[in-house]
Amino acid sequence: TITAQAMEGKMGFKESLAARFASLALNAHHIQQTIAILKDKITPSFIRNQAFLKKHADNIIILSGSFIDIVWPVVKNFGLKRENVYANRLLYDYDGNIHGYDRDFPLAHNQGKVLLMQQLKLTGDIVVLGDGYNDYEIK
């Protein structure tokens, strides 16, 4: 699949995002359905560590190739800070239909997480948890 190819580094993230997006006709209702599904799929260890997440919220940053419209509603109840959550941005029309995404945002590009990390200019020890090639690129 397109997603698997991107996760394995066989296809650039920018190209995979465009290809995946082109194959879908989405609206705001689909986003709400996705949020409801994902809230039920949060790993037990993430839920178990909610106190830790809240205590260290100033130092926890989420970088996601997904969309802020989905990521933030899923993680906001864990005490994390909205300003520390970075994800792509969907573009809607007045009827709630999604007609694209912000192609200028760093996370919409190849090496987007690397670029955003450079822009954040973090200091000290940095620990990255991820599940795909674009997470590995941060190293």
Side-chain angles (χ1 to χ4, degrees):
T1 68
I2 294 169
T3 301
Q5 289 178 18
M7 294 293 283
E8 295 168 5
K10 296 176 181 173
M11 176 186 269
F13 186 80
K14 179 180 177 180
E15 293 78 19
S16 70
L17 182 60
R20 284 180 282 167
F21 203 87
S23 68
L24 302 172
L26 300 171
N27 60 46
H29 179 71
H30 294 115
I31 300 304
Q32 294 309 312
Q33 288 177 315
T34 302
I35 292 166
I37 291 167
L38 291 177
K39 282 184 174 182
D40 287 338
K41 303 281 183 190
I42 297 171
T43 62
S45 64
F46 200 80
I47 295 168
R48 189 172 54 246
N49 286 295
Q50 186 169 0
F52 176 88
L53 296 168
K54 187 177 270 189
K55 180 179 178 181
H56 298 283
D58 288 338
N59 297 314
I60 296 174
I61 297 172
I62 294 177
L63 303 178
S64 176
S66 183
F67 298 96
I68 196 67
D69 313 68
I70 297 168
V71 175
W72 177 241
V74 172
V75 302
K76 71 180 180 180
N77 292 330
F78 288 90
L80 300 173
K81 295 189 170 194
R82 169 59 186 88
E83 62 268 20
N84 289 349
V85 179
Y86 299 87
N88 286 297
R89 302 168 187 158
L90 293 170
L91 303 174
Y92 297 83
D93 65 18
Y94 290 109
D95 295 321
N97 297 307
I98 299 167
H99 62 86
Y101 57 92
D102 182 353
R103 293 175 186 262
D104 294 326
F105 192 64
L107 291 174
H109 294 272
N110 296 336
Q111 300 254 324
K113 290 183 179 182
V114 174
L115 178 61
L116 194 54
M117 288 292 288
Q118 290 169 344
Q119 290 175 356
L120 292 174
K121 298 180 180 174
L122 302 174
T123 59
D125 293 332
I126 299 171
V127 176
V128 176
L129 303 175
D131 62 355
Y133 187 76
N134 62 353
D135 300 303
Y136 168 75
E137 291 176 324
I138 295 170
K139 184 177 186 314

